[in-house]
Amino acid sequence: MNAQGEVGERYGEPVRWRAAMEAALYGPGGFYVRPGGPGPAGHFRTSVHASPLYAGAVARLLTRVDAELGHPERLDLVDVGAGRGELLCGVLAALPEGTAARVVPYAVERAAVPEGLDPRIRWVDRPPAGATGLLFANEWLDNVPLEIAEGGRYVLVAPDGTESPGGPLEADDRAWLERWWPGGEREGRAEIGRARDEAWAAAVAALDRGLAVAVDYAHTRGARPPYGTLTGFREGREVAPVPDGGRDVTAHVALDSCAGPGAVLLSQREALTALGVSGGRPPLALASTDPAGYVRALAAAGEAAELTARGGLGDFGWLLQPVGITVPLVG
């Protein structure tokens, strides 16, 4: 039976979008938990896969958090939505030896442990309680299942993507829309981010001290898209958001609603610039004194430009939530 058939068997009748996303992404045969293959990296490109400069920037952020914490004997690095562990491996490789020796890395994932994983990485299904260090979630929240509303009612969806109107909004979801998506509780189409707020709050609560960072394509209250952002990705292409288990189903994140007290919101361009990622071209004189070095520097500049590009990855949002420390990226 194919993935669509498996998901359809579990809910033969149309269901609300949150249940459909949960089954399609994380149920048996779901997109993020199926064994083998290249994993999500084979279907879409994230900052982690775009360049090792990204892992290097996260490593520098971790060293700043380490300094804010007073260099504890144990420094936790928690990667939520870790994929196949690519970011963790990159950060560990980029850290100074002394710092890396104190780091305890956790990959938080619902999929099975991938073959060949660095034995230092602890594979868990939820953030460890009482962590001290950096919790980092790159493009995780956009895959936390959520409800879709239209005209004051839930939207139902069948496994083939066919939508139909559902019942009226429950009080908590209506209240979320009234606060965070003006007009969404009664008109247009809106994505109810309450489940993302709760998921992020639970992740942050796992930190005893340190910094929690969520990175995602996002929008804020004053610029919510009138028809929402729900979409799908498969084999490197954007496709219809059909909850059949064979594609990613994702929606942009209302990061401002996730933010807790003391949180800072930045664009990825601002955050990476503060962490030393620059798309500036190397001096031309280097080409004559060190041709190979010039080529390497030119390639790195191109990768940095992609990570910080306007209209692309540079427009992603960074939510920095401190827990018992000062945000080590601003001021």
Side-chain angles (χ1 to χ4, degrees):
M1 183 181 295
N2 63 25
Q4 179 171 336
E6 291 175 354
V7 173
E9 188 176 82
R10 288 195 298 279
Y11 67 96
E13 299 298 321
V15 297
R16 282 160 41 173
W17 261 106
R18 184 177 178 181
M21 286 181 68
E22 178 66 31
L25 298 181
Y26 305 110
F31 181 78
Y32 280 102
V33 298
R34 64 180 58 172
H43 295 270
F44 50 83
R45 179 179 173 88
T46 72
S47 295
V48 175
H49 309 115
S51 171
L53 294 175
Y54 191 75
V58 176
R60 288 191 290 278
L61 178 59
L62 179 58
T63 61
R64 295 188 187 186
V65 171
D66 184 32
E68 287 286 334
L69 292 168
H71 307 290
E73 291 185 7
R74 173 187 172 124
L75 182 63
D76 295 312
L77 173 58
V78 183
D79 184 5
V80 184
R84 296 294 188 267
E86 301 97 330
L87 178 60
L88 281 174
C89 290
V91 173
L92 290 172
L95 285 170
E97 184 177 344
T99 305
R102 293 185 290 110
V103 168
V104 179
Y106 292 88
V108 183
E109 258 297 344
R110 295 170 69 171
V113 182
E115 293 184 4
L117 183 71
D118 187 322
R120 292 175 292 178
I121 296 174
R122 305 183 182 194
W123 198 264
V124 296
D125 62 1
R126 67 190 65 188
T132 297
L134 174 64
L135 182 145
F136 201 87
N138 185 75
E139 294 195 42
W140 167 59
L141 284 173
D142 65 283
N143 288 125
V144 172
L146 82 173
E147 302 286 10
I148 307 296
E150 190 164 353
R153 309 183 75 85
Y154 292 107
V155 176
L156 307 183
V157 62
D160 66 358
T162 302
E163 293 185 339
S164 56
L169 298 178
E170 296 167 5
D172 287 347
D173 286 338
R174 187 171 61 252
W176 187 94
L177 288 174
E178 288 173 350
R179 179 178 181 185
W180 292 110
W181 199 303
E185 75 281 4
R186 60 183 181 277
E187 59 189 37
R189 183 178 173 100
E191 294 146 3
I192 303 172
R194 187 168 64 87
R196 275 109 180 252
D197 295 356
E198 293 169 354
W200 180 242
V204 173
L207 272 181
D208 183 46
R209 289 183 69 222
L211 181 70
V213 180
V215 182
D216 238 306
Y217 27 67
H219 45 61
T220 54
R221 186 179 185 276
R224 305 284 190 228
Y227 300 105
T229 61
L230 188 71
T231 190
F233 287 94
R234 183 174 59 198
E235 298 176 355
R237 296 184 299 110
E238 187 170 7
V239 295
V242 178
D244 60 4
R247 68 194 71 196
D248 186 24
V249 179
T250 177
H252 293 202
V253 183
L255 277 181
D256 51 347
S257 76
C258 296
V264 174
L265 285 170
L266 300 173
S267 70
Q268 176 155 297
R269 182 169 49 258
E270 293 170 323
L272 291 185
T273 298
L275 289 168
V277 176
S278 171
R281 293 174 61 91
L284 190 57
L286 185 63
S288 58
T289 60
D290 183 4
Y294 177 78
V295 171
R296 289 193 299 271
L298 195 62
E303 294 173 3
E306 180 183 3
L307 290 172
T308 58
R310 297 183 185 277
L313 294 174
D315 289 343
F316 274 42
W318 280 48
L319 167 59
L320 301 103
Q321 184 69 60
V323 179
I325 65 170
T326 301
V327 175
L329 201 62
V330 295

